[in-house]
Amino acid sequence: MTGQPFWNSRPTFVTGATGQLGGWLVRRLLDAGADVVCLVRDWVPQCELVRTGLLERAKAVRGDLSDLELLRRALGEYEINTVIHLAAQSIVGTANRDPVTTFETNIRGTWSLLEACRAIPTVKQVVMASTDKVYGDSDELPYHEEMPLLAVYPHDVSKACAEMIARCYAQTYALGVAVTRLPNLYGGGDLNWSRIVPGTVRSVWKGERPVIHSNGKFIRDYLYVEDAAAAHLYLAESLAEKPELRGQAFNLSSGGHLSVLELVDKIVRLMGSDLTPLVEDKAKQEIRNQYLTAQKARDILGWRPLYTIDGGLQATIDWYRTFFAGQA
């Protein structure tokens, strides 16, 4: 999978390209020879896409995901074949404070994009990123794809709704759309310091105690961002070979899970520090325990993560050390 012939000169439209996953995914697409068109809403000079010059190797369409006419024009004019939809409001705390903006981005943005894809006959595959949080709080773990979506909180509900809309377009209009369900991603390029991995790395770099907003006991699945980027390409290629995959969802997982405290301890240890975290215990509207099985992705897509948690964290720490040194 992720073969050069499939992507060579392939017109590919990426939403959320200025995000962490987007930057690594665009890099992979460009290296494979794809003709990449990025939807860019906000100009973020520090993001991986801009900072490394990747955007200069791609095309940029400036605008908002909910602008249906803009999307139709972009997909049509660039004769897009493959769409990878990563754009979302993904911060749980932000969604709890401002659910309407989250619903507008994650739900309205998704139906606008899929409607534009439906209208443009050159579009053959759409890969859409979702989250493990769509499963809601369940006593059955790990999550598998046959489980019902029982989301409750605003961010989680918005992504579950987006998935249902994707399934609607797949079944009603035979649109070649499929979904990835992602755990917590980590890796270089994430500049949202409220997230646990970049926030912890920055704190230790500055010699400050890392902050844990929850009680630190929540169990999560963590996936290195380059493994996640590769999986989206695997799924797009599989959709081209197996149209029967449209409307389906695929869990992505590293196969391991640990508590927030355990994750922070690993980062601190790998950075050669003895700092202890400050546990605030303020995060209440979150699912306590979440982790996935990715057996379906392994069996059908042939995808497997290449990074262990320690290997991924070391690569992440190295990236941020270089980034902070450059800033200094």
Side-chain angles (χ1 to χ4, degrees), residues 1 8 21 30 41 60-61 71 106 136 247 254 263 269 273 292:
M1 283 291 181
N8 189 33
L21 176 56
L30 291 170
R41 186 189 66 176
V61 174
L71 295 171
N106 296 355
S254 62
L263 178 73
R269 177 173 50 79
S273 172
L292 302 151

Side-chain angles (χ1 to χ4, degrees), residues 176-221:
V177 56
V179 171
T180 60
R181 290 179 182 153
L182 298 167
N184 289 19
L185 298 184
Y186 70 95
D190 186 356
L191 303 182
N192 189 325
W193 308 115
S194 68
R195 290 197 179 105
I196 191 65
V197 172
T200 298
V201 174
R202 186 175 71 161
S203 293
V204 176
W205 171 264
K206 295 166 67 176
E208 300 171 355
R209 294 175 67 188
V211 176
I212 296 176
H213 300 298
S214 68
N215 62 11
K217 298 177 182 178
F218 293 176
I219 294 175
R220 294 290 185 267
D221 217 329

Side-chain angles (χ1 to χ4, degrees), residues 20 31 41 43 57 62 68 82 93 112 167 212 280:
Q20 180 199 22
D31 288 347
R41 186 189 66 176
W43 185 253
R57 297 168 56 195
R62 298 296 299 272
L68 177 57
T82 301
S112 297
R167 194 177 310 125
I212 296 176
E280 293 186 335

Side-chain angles (χ1 to χ4, degrees), residues 126-144:
V126 183
V127 175
M128 188 177 94
S130 186
T131 172
D132 56 2
K133 293 178 174 59
V134 297
Y135 290 111
D137 202 349
S138 174
D139 293 330
E140 182 182 355
L141 291 169
Y143 297 140
H144 56 83

Side-chain angles (χ1 to χ4, degrees), residues 35-274:
D35 182 8
V36 181
V37 181
C38 301
L39 179 66
V40 178
R41 186 189 66 176
D42 298 329
W43 185 253
V44 186
Q46 300 89 354
C47 77
E48 185 78 357
L49 190 73
V50 177
R51 191 180 64 85
T52 60
L54 288 172
L55 190 58
E56 297 174 9
R57 297 168 56 195
K59 302 178 179 71
V61 174
R62 298 296 299 272
D64 192 89
L65 184 63
S66 61
D67 189 337
L68 177 57
E69 292 309 313
L70 172 79
L71 295 171
R72 282 177 176 153
R73 179 192 67 77
L75 297 178
E77 287 187 4
Y78 291 106
E79 299 182 321
I80 297 298
N81 294 156
T82 301
V83 174
I84 302 180
H85 176 33
L86 308 178
Q89 194 304 99
S90 59
I91 307 301
V92 171
T94 300
N96 290 340
R97 291 190 299 271
D98 185 7
V100 172
T101 300
T102 299
F103 294 156
E104 283 284 336
T105 301
N106 296 355
I107 304 175
R108 182 188 181 92
T110 295
W111 87 53
S112 297
L113 178 64
L114 295 180
E115 178 62 17
C117 291
R118 183 176 77 92
I120 306 301
T122 59
V123 175
K124 302 301 181 184
Q125 303 89 32
V126 183
V127 175
M128 188 177 94
S130 186
T131 172
D132 56 2
K133 293 178 174 59
V134 297
Y135 290 111
D137 202 349
S138 174
D139 293 330
E140 182 182 355
L141 291 169
Y143 297 140
H144 56 83
E145 290 86 351
E146 287 71 37
M147 292 173 64
L149 306 188
L150 302 175
V152 172
Y153 302 122
H155 165 266
D156 314 353
V157 167
S158 73
K159 298 300 286 185
C161 288
E163 282 203 32
M164 294 186 72
I165 292 167
R167 194 177 310 125
C168 166
Y169 272 81
Q171 297 301 320
T172 309
Y173 304 109
L175 184 66
V177 56
V179 171
T180 60
R181 290 179 182 153
L182 298 167
N184 289 19
L185 298 184
Y186 70 95
D190 186 356
L191 303 182
N192 189 325
W193 308 115
S194 68
R195 290 197 179 105
I196 191 65
V197 172
T200 298
V201 174
R202 186 175 71 161
S203 293
V204 176
W205 171 264
K206 295 166 67 176
E208 300 171 355
R209 294 175 67 188
V211 176
I212 296 176
H213 300 298
S214 68
N215 62 11
K217 298 177 182 178
F218 293 176
I219 294 175
R220 294 290 185 267
D221 217 329
Y222 296 93
L223 180 65
Y224 186 60
V225 66
E226 291 192 66
D227 282 329
H232 288 78
L233 272 64
Y234 272 70
L235 181 50
E237 293 174 47
S238 296
L239 272 169
E241 297 173 2
K242 304 172 183 176
E244 66 272 16
L245 297 183
R246 69 172 184 256
Q248 294 193 34
F250 292 85
N251 291 343
L252 301 180
S253 170
S254 62
H257 50 275
L258 62 167
S259 72
V260 175
L261 276 168
E262 289 171 329
L263 178 73
V264 170
D265 179 67
K266 278 182 177 291
I267 295 171
V268 171
R269 177 173 50 79
L270 286 168
M271 294 185 71
S273 172
D274 58 1

